[in-house]
């Protein structure tokens, strides 16, 4: 993509996000996005095809961007690696990203459009929760390979850990609003507790007497 085209695309997505989050999906038009972004309406249609496709691109781009460092490739595991620290560090960043007010607002908007546009929720799920569990499962498999944890099904274990960490804080923020978002100190404390429960559940069992 040419630099000028990339700049226009980013300007359009920024304007679209601002308008969608401010007024909802239905009230936004390609014309209003063109006006705010300074990108010609015809150019918007050339880049995205339709308002629905533009919204889908926004959901995909925003969710992928929010993954950041928390969802980077799993590090090489060594027997000396500290599972608690590896998990704590990744999950603190992940929870903080998911609780970003912008990400929460987008999630609420997508849920509101679920019956009309299930593909939007599908894109958010694939690029957010599903991807997070996939990468976390890879990390847990690496930890288990060192003998530090006993995990027969890394995907199931990753799902359990993911929701030990994410479930209650996300529900609070989604339903009670941004004032219910945990502070950084609260995020760290919450993750510590969730990781402690998980490590106790998957600690290696000694041989039966």
């Amino acid at each position: 993509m040419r630099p000028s085209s990339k700049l226009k695309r980013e300007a359009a997505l920024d304007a679209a996000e601002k308008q969608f989050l401010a007024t909802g999906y239905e009230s936004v038009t390609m014309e209003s996005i063109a006006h705010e972004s300074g990108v010609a309406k015809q150019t918007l249609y050339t880049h995205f095809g339709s308002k629905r496709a533009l919204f889908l691109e926004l959901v995909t781009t925003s969710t992928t961007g929010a993954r950041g460092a928390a969802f980077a490739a799993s590090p090489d595991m060594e027997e000396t690696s500290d599972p608690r620290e590896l998990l704590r560090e990744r999950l603190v960043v992940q929870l903080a990203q998911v609780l970003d007010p912008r990400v929460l607002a987008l999630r609420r908007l997508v849920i509101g459009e679920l019956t009309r546009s299930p593909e939007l929720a599908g894109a958010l799920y694939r690029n957010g929760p599903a991807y997070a569990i996939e990468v976390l499962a890879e990390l847990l498999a690496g930890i288990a390979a060192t003998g530090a944890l006993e995990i027969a099904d890394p995907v199931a274990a990753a799902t359990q850990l993911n929701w030990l960490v994410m479930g209650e804080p996300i529900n609070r923020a989604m339903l009670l609003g941004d004032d219910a978002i945990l502070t950084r100190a609260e995020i760290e404390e919450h993750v510590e507790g969730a990781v402690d429960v998980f490590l106790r559940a998957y600690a290696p069992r000694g041989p039966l007497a």
Side-chain angles (χ1 to χ4, degrees):
M1 184 180 294
R2 293 179 301 176
S4 59
S5 296
K6 184 177 180 180
L7 288 174
K8 289 179 181 179
R9 177 180 176 279
E10 291 174 351
L13 289 172
D14 287 343
E17 179 181 5
K18 180 179 178 181
Q19 293 189 17
F20 285 136
L21 296 184
T23 63
Y25 178 81
E26 291 298 331
S27 64
V28 178
T29 65
M30 292 293 265
E31 184 173 354
S32 68
I33 295 171
H35 177 75
E36 179 159 336
S37 66
V39 178
K41 185 164 69 171
Q42 186 56 47
T43 301
L44 292 182
Y45 280 106
T46 298
H47 277 289
F48 302 103
S50 66
K51 184 178 82 167
R52 183 68 61 190
L54 191 159
F55 191 23
L56 179 58
E57 177 70 11
L58 174 63
V59 170
T60 302
T61 300
S62 298
T63 309
T64 302
R67 297 195 304 221
F71 303 147
S74 295
D76 293 333
M77 294 296 108
E78 300 177 359
E79 291 187 6
T80 56
S81 298
D82 181 354
R84 180 182 300 276
E85 184 59 27
L86 288 172
L87 294 173
R88 189 201 67 79
E89 182 178 343
R90 171 163 292 190
L91 291 167
V92 163
V93 176
Q94 180 183 338
L95 181 55
Q97 289 177 331
V98 173
L99 291 179
D100 182 282
R102 172 177 164 270
V103 175
L104 289 169
L106 183 63
R107 182 184 287 245
R108 295 186 191 104
L109 184 57
V110 169
I111 290 173
E113 289 295 311
L114 179 61
T115 57
R116 289 183 290 270
S117 301
E119 73 276 10
L120 300 174
L124 190 151
Y125 180 76
R126 287 191 303 274
N127 290 291
Y131 185 83
I133 290 171
E134 177 185 333
V135 176
L136 187 56
E138 182 181 346
L139 175 59
L140 292 177
I143 294 173
T146 70
L149 294 176
E150 191 172 294
I151 298 175
D153 186 340
V155 174
T159 302
Q160 292 160 358
L161 177 56
N162 185 74
W163 290 107
L164 274 173
V165 172
M166 302 293 154
E168 202 277 338
I170 291 177
N171 280 338
R172 279 176 55 87
M174 288 289 292
L175 298 175
L176 301 180
D178 291 353
D179 288 343
I181 295 174
L182 299 182
T183 65
R184 181 71 179 201
E186 289 171 335
I187 287 173
E188 292 176 357
E189 181 179 2
H190 175 73
V191 170
E192 285 280 2
V195 170
D196 184 62
V197 169
F198 179 81
L199 293 179
R200 289 174 182 269
Y202 283 94
R205 271 69 170 175
L208 295 176

